[in-house]
Each structure stands twice: as C-alpha cells, then as structure tokens.
Amino acid sequence: MPRTLTVVTSLLALSCLFAPARADEGMWLFNRAPKQQIKAKYGFELTDAWLEHVQKSSVRLSTGGSGSLVSANGLVMTNHHVGSDMLEKLSTKERDLLAEGFYAKTAVDELKCPDLEIDILWTIEDISARVQGAVKDGMSNAEAGAARRKLRSEIEEEAKQKTGLHCESVELFQGARFHLYSYKRYTDVRLVMAPEKGIAFFGGDPDNFEFPRFDLDMCFFRIYEGDKPLQAEHYLKWSRNGTTDNELVFVAGHPGRTERLFTVDHLEYLRDFSYPLTLRSLWRREVQLATFSGRSEEARRIAEGDYFGVQNSRKARTGIYGGLMDPAIMDAKQQAETKLRAAVAANPEWQKKWGDGWDDIARARKTQREFALRLAALGGGGMNLGGALFGKAKDLLRLADEKARPSGERLREYRESNMASLELQLFSPAPIYPDLEIENLCAGLQQMVELLGGKDETVVKALAGKSPRARAEELILGSKLISIDERKKLAAGGQEAIKNSKDPLIQLARTLDDENRKLRKRFEDEVDAVEKLGYSKVAAASFAVNGEDQYPDATFTLRLSYGAVKGYSENGKPVAPYTNFAGLYERSEERDNLPPFQLPPRWAAAKDSVNLNTPYNFVSTCDIIGGNSGSPTINKAGEVVGLIFDGNIHSLVLDIAYQDEQARAVSVDSRAIIESLRRVYDCNALADELQGTRKN
Amino acid sequence: MPRTLTVVTSLLALSCLFAPARADEGMWLFNRAPKQQIKAKYGFELTDAWLEHVQKSSVRLSTGGSGSLVSANGLVMTNHHVGSDMLEKLSTKERDLLAEGFYAKTAVDELKCPDLEIDILWTIEDISARVQGAVKDGMSNAEAGAARRKLRSEIEEEAKQKTGLHCESVELFQGARFHLYSYKRYTDVRLVMAPEKGIAFFGGDPDNFEFPRFDLDMCFFRIYEGDKPLQAEHYLKWSRNGTTDNELVFVAGHPGRTERLFTVDHLEYLRDFSYPLTLRSLWRREVQLATFSGRSEEARRIAEGDYFGVQNSRKARTGIYGGLMDPAIMDAKQQAETKLRAAVAANPEWQKKWGDGWDDIARARKTQREFALRLAALGGGGMNLGGALFGKAKDLLRLADEKARPSGERLREYRESNMASLELQLFSPAPIYPDLEIENLCAGLQQMVELLGGKDETVVKALAGKSPRARAEELILGSKLISIDERKKLAAGGQEAIKNSKDPLIQLARTLDDENRKLRKRFEDEVDAVEKLGYSKVAAASFAVNGEDQYPDATFTLRLSYGAVKGYSENGKPVAPYTNFAGLYERSEERDNLPPFQLPPRWAAAKDSVNLNTPYNFVSTCDIIGGNSGSPTINKAGEVVGLIFDGNIHSLVLDIAYQDEQARAVSVDSRAIIESLRRVYDCNALADELQGTRKN
C-alpha cells in the first residue's frame, strides 16, 4: 500500500483555531514560553536562564535553516541539506563536495563560504504599541500600511545605530503583534565537516519525509570573527547518553511558515487558488530539471541543488495541499471559527470592534485573486523570474533606484539594514553556470506565456519575437553580469550607470520593473494592509476569548517546541521511535544498494567497525515545520541529544493544523553523530570538540 | 548547451496553412497519393499496385501504434514501446518480460495477448457527399452534427453487414471530407519476440526524441486466425542491403494527430488554454508516478508503463508547446491565413460562401473555453477520471444505458461497430494492481479539486467527506470489479443490474455521469458541430485557392510519407544520418553504464561477436508524428529497410508545421534488426522468416 499523505484519523487531535494549545502543540516565542504547560505535563521547570542559554546557542542560517553553537570555539551544527547550497558553491568539476564529503583536519583547511550569513538572536522587544501607533485616525488601509512599514524600518535602523546588532521588526499573529528581534550577525563562516550526500540524504526523494529513516543529515561550520574562531558566550554541551523512549525533549529553531491561524476563507483561497498555482510551477520545474539533469553527469551536478530544492518543496506542499483537500480538516477549522465568531457576536462591544475582521480578510483575498496570477507570472513581489543572473540584474536595477530614496521609503529588501546581506549575495564569488541559467530563465519565460497567454503585451515585450528558449539563450549569453567586477562597476555607477547599461538582462529587468512594482504596491496596499487589519481584529478577539497564552504562526524566527520521544502506529502496525545503523545496512541491501540507497564507500567499508546498535534516527512529538531543519534537539539539561532534519509524512499537515497521533519530527541521534565521526570519518578532533574532551 | 526544442532557423522551411506541399512534406491519403510530387522530385513512379501492396501490408495496433506484416505467416513487426503494454500485461512478479525480453522458439511458445487488436486497412470509399447530405436546410448546428453522427454510424453498420469488415467513417480536413475505412480486424495476437527494455529504450527519457540514437525499439507479434498463423495475402519483403545516404524512402503508418490546418485563433487557444491545462496534468502525473515508483522495485514495475507513457506525452507536448510559444512560427501561420482570407475576400461569391468560416471556428473556441476546464476535471468526454478499474465501472454503467438505444443514437464508443473491442477491453484478463489503481484514481480526484475547487458541488459529492487519497482507497478496496466474473455478471444484467449495484466505483461513475454527458453534449453541439461547419468552409476555400492536391491533418488512419535518408546540422555541427553498434558501446561507457544507459547482459557479452559497423539507427526527412511508431520504413521496391520509432527533438514541432531543415524521423535500421536477432539473441528462425530464408 502506498503510504497515505493525509490520514488524520481522529478529529480530536486537530488543533482548533486560536484554541489554547493542548498536547505538545506549539512553536512558542522565547519571550512567551509555555512554562505552565510543560510543568503541568512533564513536571519540568523552564527557567529564564535555561531559555536565554538555549536562545543564544541557537543560530539561523541565510540558506533558510536553523543550527546551534556546539563548542566554545564557534562550531555550528546544522543539516547537510541546509549546508548543501554552500557545498555546491564550494565544489568544482574536479572536487565534488556533495558526492565526496569534506573534513578540515586543522583550522587552515576550513573552507570559507562565499555568501553564508549566520544570525544569533540576542534580544527581543515588544514594539506592538509603537507600530500600531503609527496608524492615525482617518488613514486609509494603504496609508496605514505604509505608515507601519515606514515606522518599522525606522525602529530597525534606530536600534541598529544604538546596539550595532542586525535588527528586524517581526510581524506576529498575522500583524496583530510586532516584536523587534536583534541579532548578532556573522558573515565569515567556514566549512568544517560534511559527510557524503549519499549518507546525508540516503533514500533520496523516495525516503524524504518518511520514517523509519537512515540519514546522517549533518554538517559543521565554524563562525569566525576578526579572522579567528568565535569565542562563543553560549553554546550547547553534548549529552553523554542521548535520549530514552518517552523522554521530554525540546527543539529550538526557526520554523519558516505555518498557516494555522488562517481563517477558513483564507485556507480555501490556498486550496482553490494559491496551492494549485504553486504546485503547477513546482511540477513543471521538477520535470524540467530532471530532463536537464539527465543530459550529462555535469548537468546533474550543477542542477542538483535546484532539483532537490524543488523536490523537497513539492513533497512538503503536496502534504499540506492534501490536508487542505481533506473535508474533515476543513470542517474542524470551520467549527472552531464558528465558535469564536459566535463568542464575539454574543458581546456587542466585541462585535463592534472585531466582528468584521473575517470579512476584511475575505475582502483582501478577493482582491488578491484579481492579480495574483499576474504577479506570480512576473516572479512575485521580488521579481524572481528565474536564475541567479536575472536576480542580480534585477537587484542592480532596483538597488540603483532605491538607494536614491530614504531608507524608510524603500522596498524592504533594499533598506540600509539589509544592505550588507544584499551585497554579500550580489557580489558573491559562487560559481554561475550559463547552461543552468538558460534553463532557469527559460522556465520563467515559459511560465509567463503559460499564465498570461502569448498575446499579452508584457509577454510580447519580454520575448522580443523569440521563443522562450531562444530568448533565454540570447539574454544569458549576451549578458556580462557573470563577472563580479561588472556587477560591482554597475552597482558603484548608480542610476546613471544602470540607465546607460546595454546589458540585455538589465534591460529585461527594466522592461518588467514598472508593472511588477505596481502589482507589488497593489498587494501591499489592497491585500496585505487590509488583511493585517482583519487579522489584528481576529487575533484580538481570540486573545479576549481564549486568553493570551497562544503562539503565533511561524515566521522564520526563533521558536521553542517541546515533546516526547515517541513512536506511533501506521496501518495498524507500531513504528518504533528509533532506528539504528543495522537498519541502514539492511535497507541498502533490500534496495540492491542502488541509488539513492547506495552506501558511500566509507560506509560500506565501516560495516564491521561501527557499533550496529547505535541509535541512528529518532522521532518525537515536537511541533516543527520547514525552516526547523538543523535545529538542535535538546534535553532538560540543555544538552544536544539530536539534530532535527525532517518530519514524517504525517507531519506535513502541521502547516495548517497540529496533530500528534502520527505526525512526528525526525532527528539524527547525537550518539550516531559521534559514532560516525569517530568510526567512519576518522574525525576524532571534531568529536572531541563536540564532547568537550578536546585539548585546546 | 542544453539542446533547444524549438529552433526553427528558417521561416522558409515552415509549412504554410493549406499551401501546396513542398519539400518532403505530407502525411498523404493512400487514395490521394502524391504521385506527381514524388515523380518530380525523385523520378520515381508510384503505382496503384505498389500502393495497394503497401496498404495491405500495413497494420494498426489498438495500443496506439503502427506496424507491418513481414512474413507470409502473419508475423507483425512494430516497436517495443508499442508492444510494451502487452509485455507489461503478460509479466508477473516472477517473469518481467520488459526487463528480460522474450523469444518464442516455436509456435507453441508464443504468448497470447490479453486484449490486443490489429487492423489492416482493406478499402477506402469517399462518403463526403452522403454525410454532408444528411444536413438539411434549416437545421441548427447541433441538429446538423447529430444528423451527421447518426448517418455515419448507419453507413458504418451497413458496410459492416455487407462486407464483414470493421468499418469506420473518418473525418478528414477537420470535417470537410468523410471517407469510409474498412478494416480486417484480428484479436488473436501472440507475442513472438521482444528484446530487453534496456536496449529497446536505451538512454531512457534523456535520449527520447534525441539523435544520435542507439535503440533497438522492436517487437514481433503474430496474427492468428482460427488458431493458426494468418496466411497473409500481402506482406513486406526484407531488403537485402538496407539504405544508403540520400536514398528515397517511404513510411506507411498511422500518424495520430496533427494541428497543421488549424486557424491562428485555434492555435492560440491551444497555446493559451489547452496546452497549459494538459501539461499541468502531465507534470503532476509524472511527479506522482515517479514518487510512487520510488517506493519499491515492485511499485516501479507495475507503474512503468504509465510512467513512460506520461513522460513520452510530456516530452512530445513540450516540443509542440515550444512551437506554439515561438512568435516566428505563429507569425508565419498568421501570414498564410491572411493571404488565404484575402484571396477569399477578393471573390464576392467565395466570400459569401466561406468568408465567415474563420469566425465560426473562433466562436466554437470561445464556447469551448466556457466549460473545457470543467469537462477536463470530469475526465473529458470519455469520463476517464483515472485508473483501469474506474474506467471499467464507467463502461459498465454507460454500456447498460447505451445498449438500450438504437446503435446510431448511442455515444460513439458504445455503437455496435465497436462492441467487440469494448468487450475485449472490459473483460480483459490483464492484471490490475490495487496500489496503482488507488494512485491513479487519487490523482483524478485531486485534479477535480484542483480544477474545480473544494467547494464545488460535484467535488463534494465525489469525495464524500474524505480526502482524495482516503476516498480512492475506499473506492478501490471496496470494489469487486477487479473480478472478471463480476464485470461479466454486471454487463449481462444490463440496466437493472447496474441500477441495483452497490459497487462503490459504479456508484461514483453514476454520480458523475449526468454532468459529464451534459458537458459532452454541449461540446458536440456547440463546439464540434460549429467548428466542423467553419473548417468545411475554410477547407473549401483552400481547395478553391490552392487546388485539391492537399493532405489532411493526421487522424490515426493510414498515411504515406516520403523523404530521403539525410543528416542535418545542429549548433553548426553536422549530424550524420546513421549511427552504428560501435556508437552504442561508446555511449554506454561514456555514461558509466548506469541506467538508463546500462547495457543488458546479452549486449555486454555480445560486444566481440556483433559487427560493430552495422548501421543501427538512421534519420530521414519523412513527415511523421506520434502514432507512426512501429511504421515500416520502405524502399522503392516496397521492401523493409527500417522501423520508425521516434522523431528527433526538432520534429516535435511537426505537429503544427512541417520543416525539413532539422526535423527528422528516426528508424531502426533493418540490418541492425537482423544482426541483433542472429548474433545477440540467437533468434535465427525469426531472422530466417524475415529474410524469407526460413524453411516451412
């Protein structure tokens, strides 16, 4: 039987909209941790010191994942698939770090990453009142939105001036609350160790989001400061014994995005409009990249990162889409919403203040539907049409225009607070492959024709009389932006240089810029601002009805989850919480040792030397989602017991509703990390550093 | 550089709408063969005897391909990928005919196919005047369409009564002409020989539609009549020496569908609506089937045929879509259309009779657009929602209803003339795999939600409160239709039995039937009938302006193409017309002998015994398209010189416009067939039979 994606056998396990969290539900804010719930269920006292230590030991990586500091010398642990973008960028035709793995025996061997940033969350401040105060009586929604955006940017810059930290105002509860997150940011990050992709991603796409699982999905970097390893104030110690069944564990990480607090109308919009549009694009890209990769070994290598990224998104979204298509889940959502609205309606004051919040949100969706397809065809608000080079052309064009404005009035991504990151990307020495660029830009142009039709004026201008492929070839091969010097020259030259540029990619970006900006503005004024207004009412209503003890939807900011190591049952059969190395060898044999179940040579050779009973991967009920990849799994003592790298197939629906019957977070066991470092990779120095037994 | 799909470097090479054929263009009717053109260009006299001999040696297979009689004992040659559906159905978990190949050393070893039909075209009669005569003054379009459909069915049955042949009225020139095709039909067909899929489809999806190429895409069946091998009146002899560069060759086969005569408005409909919809479905299915196949070796085996079919359609349609998205091709179409319309407009009588034909077609498209998405969501006019079992449920339901009506008033596929084929499929002993059925039906239900939205009434009824996957599981596992006896019982019981059936698949079919029939009727009355009217005007105009010497768009009926063995040039480099066995071994080595470039053991072992210089695959300028798979390539003497199995990537655009600069048909060389039968497979008896040296 194929495993089902969306079976939620008991409705009781479903989270209710804005209802107080039960079970092990919740991606909690560090400044509003679920102390009572944990005390009540597990008898464990979460202290402020514990929380601060874990917060300052947790990191966020600019490749879109989480990680943790795991030594006093700035060692960072994350997933292989979080680091793989860097592994790809540090690879060459001759040295394939993804295929072969990497280990720097000494500090001088560590490889500097071209464009990786690591953030550590240092302080959190509630700025809700100040941000909401920017909105004056009589302002339109668009004006209110602009005022909030402007003030948020001012607060960020003011804080940055004062603290020197990287500051971000974070919108929580769909805009009902705003907190200021200040980070220590590091850009000198070096690769220390990565196993082969063959073991990190053993089982490939077929096993992705599945359990039992056998992946060593780990990767180690080191933060440098002033050309020396960071002396970390806080870092997580390594657990001596790992976990046992039913043990309480925590996950500190950066879940990217959930949609649990969405209204039913909003979820229906996702189901009937937004997901079909996104999945259609992912299916196309997956098929196109598979075709591209089939052409040669080199093509496969250069497209590997894009291909995996698309497969992974597709599988994750398929799971969420499955939940949205499940009438049982939607009915439960509807019931919860009906209950909350009834509670509001029963109180005339509440009804007057908040009663129309749901209608605001519905109105925003209706408006969005009018132009969302068009905006998607133009690459979304960020105008990401496809490929790295077009992205750089667009950034050069917009940077020139935006720099001429005060920071607070710029498009968010070009504000002063983001300038260093932007330049890191824009002038990155990471390799760019013209073949892949043509493929990716061609896909973007094809999607434009597909969504807007061949007679559309913008499409006609973009294609300039050529087929998407011929046009993509002409643009990529005719552009000089592959040269970092050329990009630096254009960026330095400002508006004048961009205006005079004959570079075909800059010209294409210019052709599309006006319309894209208009659509983006429409989105910000007529959708985002209206929706925020609505959600702030709904959230206020929910706080009033259900109390303040709630967690917001995920926003790729630091959250704390908790739960127990715990197996589950599938098709009536128990699934044990742990796998071990013996299982890895069995699974490989069962699949004839063929890719993606082929063991790397080091692992084939190590069969007799590793302890086959070593716990390898394990599951827990912790509430996680994409973005949590690389998060440390932590015990009560605040020690590392595992490394989150995936959720099982049942966990995908967590995007819209928590359930703990079958949904599980999957970690690499801390014991497997040490055993493989020592017995398979001969990385004893690294293992010593982790276990705190290294002599410095 | 990735190979481009759509490069048409010279507009001069494009076919003009309805313009007289130039170059080697044309899929010609056997009763209107291009004698003059061939005489003029190649100095060869095409005789009626030659045409009759080739016609009666050509066959059509119900799996959707072409083939030829190649011995006096009813031996049929076709492609492996045309026969693979049977190879899959004849396989079991223990005996994988696709992986291992098959050879029946003696007649008793030949394997009877569960549900394969082979047709040989015996006579052609022009019935245009009679069919058009069914339309009386004052009839609406819908009435005219119904009258034509009814009369066509009467003509077919009358002819069948008279001749005992299987008779089909064929609509040509988009409804401007009707011919009656009468076939000898055979249903006792047995498998004689098939090589391993690893050599037949060497290079897999990456090499599909590419050249140079190295595929032994062949398969041999034998027709039986009265339990004895068919004594064939006509069959093709084997060429002694094969072809040489620039030699004139012919292809007799059944091209499935082209869209060359479509108006520009119609092509725009394809580009902006129909292809995006179809490709979206193909992308989804390809990704879903890849995921399904990844689960286990057995899953891969049972889904292999579906998966290949989807990949193949996707690649072919991607090529056509590429042509539609190419402004140069569309501009050329527009110019030709403008020219023809101007010629019509210049003649008042013509203008009055035919001038609004283009508008009729545009009107049909506009109407179609109103409900095409809905019809697609309901599985199209045939209500093919997904999976073999639901198809059988639908057939049982409709068969019961339709049988109660006179044959001429039934849905086409349930008319008496088609009853034998229908029953062959309906009661086929071919294996049905519940896992795959769940997968395929789930995909159909998901597509319904995707296209119609989760709140749509039909969707709600179809899902019955479950997610698409849970619902598909419930339906497939709860149905008894997997049993042939059950299907026979229900079919025998007629309307009463179906009405009382509690089978969940029958019930689902019944739930959807009414709406599907209504939409289908709307399509037939408001789209098809109107469009036919329009095209009959446009065709009449074109015949008047350009003469009668034209060929119609492909209709999966027998056509004759001609051309020369001829290389071409790509990225400025010459591509030779022939590959050889040496190239096969080189390509496998170059790709590390990994799937899909892995040589089957027999081929690895035969490297020293086969003649490496044997011509293997070759290209010609013959005008072919999907459906031509398995067609014989024939020399002037009417002998087999090759076996068509593919077109190169440039040929995909032939669907909408002929070009001969780079577009090529790809054949297996007749010499490679003999060499491999004798030296690799030890099939000397079969080789003797082909070469006419077998002692009977």
Side-chain angles (χ1 to χ4, degrees), chain A residues 8 116 134 235 269 296 330 337 579 658 663 694:
Chain A
V8 179
L116 180 62
Y235 70 91
Y269 175 83
S296 68
M330 293 298 271
E337 184 168 307
T579 63
Y658 181 77
R694 184 173 182 173

Coordinates of all heavy atoms in Angstrom, one line a residue, chain A residues 8 116 134 235 269 296 330 337 579 658 663 694:
Chain A
V8 N -5.8 11.7 8.8 CA -5.9 12.2 10.2 C -7.1 11.5 10.8 O -8.2 11.8 10.5 CB -6.2 13.7 10.2 CG1 -6.3 14.2 11.6 CG2 -5.1 14.4 9.4
L116 N 27.5 33.0 3.0 CA 26.6 32.5 4.1 C 26.6 33.4 5.3 O 27.7 33.9 5.7 CB 27.2 31.1 4.5 CG 26.4 30.4 5.7 CD1 25.0 30.1 5.2 CD2 27.1 29.1 6.0
A134 N 1.5 54.1 14.8 CA 1.8 54.8 13.5 C 0.5 55.1 12.7 O 0.5 56.0 11.9 CB 2.8 54.0 12.7
Y235 N 27.0 28.1 24.2 CA 26.9 27.0 23.3 C 26.3 25.8 24.0 O 26.3 25.7 25.2 CB 28.3 26.7 22.7 CG 29.3 26.1 23.7 CD1 29.4 24.7 23.8 CD2 30.1 26.9 24.5 CE1 30.3 24.2 24.7 CE2 31.0 26.4 25.4 CZ 31.0 25.0 25.5 OH 31.9 24.4 26.4
Y269 N -8.8 29.8 0.0 CA -8.0 30.5 -1.1 C -6.8 29.7 -1.4 O -6.4 29.5 -2.5 CB -7.7 31.9 -0.6 CG -6.8 32.7 -1.5 CD1 -7.3 33.4 -2.6 CD2 -5.4 32.8 -1.3 CE1 -6.5 34.1 -3.5 CE2 -4.6 33.5 -2.2 CZ -5.1 34.1 -3.2 OH -4.3 34.8 -4.1
S296 N 23.8 15.0 -18.8 CA 25.1 14.6 -18.6 C 25.4 14.6 -17.1 O 24.6 15.2 -16.3 CB 26.1 15.5 -19.3 OG 26.1 16.8 -18.7
M330 N -11.0 20.6 7.1 CA -11.6 21.9 6.9 C -12.9 22.1 7.7 O -13.1 23.2 8.2 CB -11.9 22.0 5.4 CG -10.7 22.1 4.5 SD -9.6 23.6 4.8 CE -10.3 24.8 3.7
E337 N -13.9 28.2 14.0 CA -14.1 29.6 13.6 C -15.6 30.0 13.9 O -15.8 31.1 14.5 CB -13.9 29.7 12.1 CG -14.0 31.2 11.6 CD -13.5 31.3 10.2 OE1 -12.4 30.9 9.9 OE2 -14.3 31.8 9.3
T579 N 15.7 4.2 14.9 CA 16.3 3.2 14.0 C 17.8 3.1 14.5 O 18.2 3.8 15.4 CB 16.3 3.7 12.6 OG1 17.1 4.9 12.5 CG2 14.9 4.0 12.1
Y658 N -2.1 21.3 14.0 CA -1.2 20.3 14.7 C -2.0 19.0 15.0 O -3.2 19.0 15.2 CB -0.9 20.9 16.1 CG 0.0 20.0 16.9 CD1 1.4 19.9 16.6 CD2 -0.5 19.2 17.9 CE1 2.2 19.0 17.3 CE2 0.3 18.4 18.7 CZ 1.7 18.3 18.3 OH 2.5 17.4 19.0
A663 N 1.9 12.4 13.5 CA 2.9 13.4 13.0 C 4.1 13.4 13.9 O 4.0 13.5 15.1 CB 2.3 14.8 13.0
R694 N 38.2 18.0 23.9 CA 39.4 18.4 23.0 C 40.3 19.3 23.9 O 39.8 20.1 24.6 CB 38.8 19.2 21.8 CG 39.9 19.6 20.9 CD 39.2 20.2 19.7 NE 40.2 20.6 18.7 CZ 39.9 21.0 17.5 NH1 38.7 21.2 17.1 NH2 40.9 21.4 16.6

